[in-house]
Amino acid sequence: MREYKQLLLANKAWAAELLEEKTDFFQRQTLGQKPDFLWIGCSDSRVTPEQMTMTPPGGMFLHRNIGNLVHDDDLNLLSVVQYAVDVLGVRHVILCGHHGCGGVRATLEGGTAGPLDQWLGNARDVLHRHREEIDAQPDQEAKINRLVEVNVMEQLRHLARLDTVQKAFAAGRELWLHGWVYDIRDGHIKTLLEIDASTDLDSLERPDKVLI
């Protein structure tokens, strides 16, 4: 059987299973969404936010890109954040990196070209700011994973400075930004840092190592 047909069969089985559990499941889905969470993560096919957090459909608004990066000129991400915070009213924004990230590896090792190389310019800036610590790691895997961690910190700080987030903080909205990493080796999500309206963004300390 062709692989794409298997996806269609799996979809039918999934829909049937949900209807067995709750006959009005899809009817309720048409009424709209009210998630508490916005997830900004990597496009890596091994990192499945809803599955690894057991979040049901409608519980999480999603945005994914290579390296879980926050670009000032990325209208896709900026509009997702604006819609999630201003329209959906999410209270938690999670930015999640992961062990052995291919985008982070490419940032460290080079060899990219074209749009991907341009996209990773943001991550190369992070590498430049933390080069001394990255170079001090004992081996290549440790260097990649430490860059994954400090990249989450830098991207979360960047996220916190977006106009949408700053306006929400200024208005006294309940909003927390969370920096996490997912360890593919054991399936566990590990927390790095949290930002709220009271956080001094200029004084953020580097997170402890969790990808050990």
Side-chain angles (χ1 to χ4, degrees), residues 44-143:
D44 194 297
S45 62
R46 300 165 295 175
V47 182
T48 53
E50 293 166 308
Q51 185 175 17
M52 66 193 189
T53 60
M54 298 183 70
T55 302
M60 187 180 289
F61 203 55
L62 296 174
H63 176 83
R64 302 175 70 178
N65 65 58
I66 294 175
N68 40 272
L69 303 181
V70 178
H71 283 268
D72 282 329
D73 58 355
D74 182 357
L75 291 178
N76 188 355
L77 179 139
L78 295 178
S79 59
V80 165
V81 172
Q82 181 185 13
Y83 189 79
V85 173
D86 291 347
V87 179
L88 298 178
V90 301
R91 298 192 303 152
H92 301 276
V93 180
I94 298 160
L95 192 143
C96 188
H98 67 95
H99 168 269
C101 177
V104 170
R105 179 183 295 275
T107 299
L108 191 60
E109 298 178 353
T112 56
L116 177 58
D117 188 62
Q118 295 178 29
W119 177 256
L120 292 177
N122 182 325
R124 284 192 295 271
D125 290 342
V126 175
L127 173 60
H128 177 73
R129 286 193 292 273
H130 298 272
R131 187 91 222 197
E132 184 175 350
E133 181 185 6
I134 302 303
D135 286 345
Q137 301 306 309
D139 54 45
Q140 190 68 356
E141 181 181 11
K143 291 178 181 178

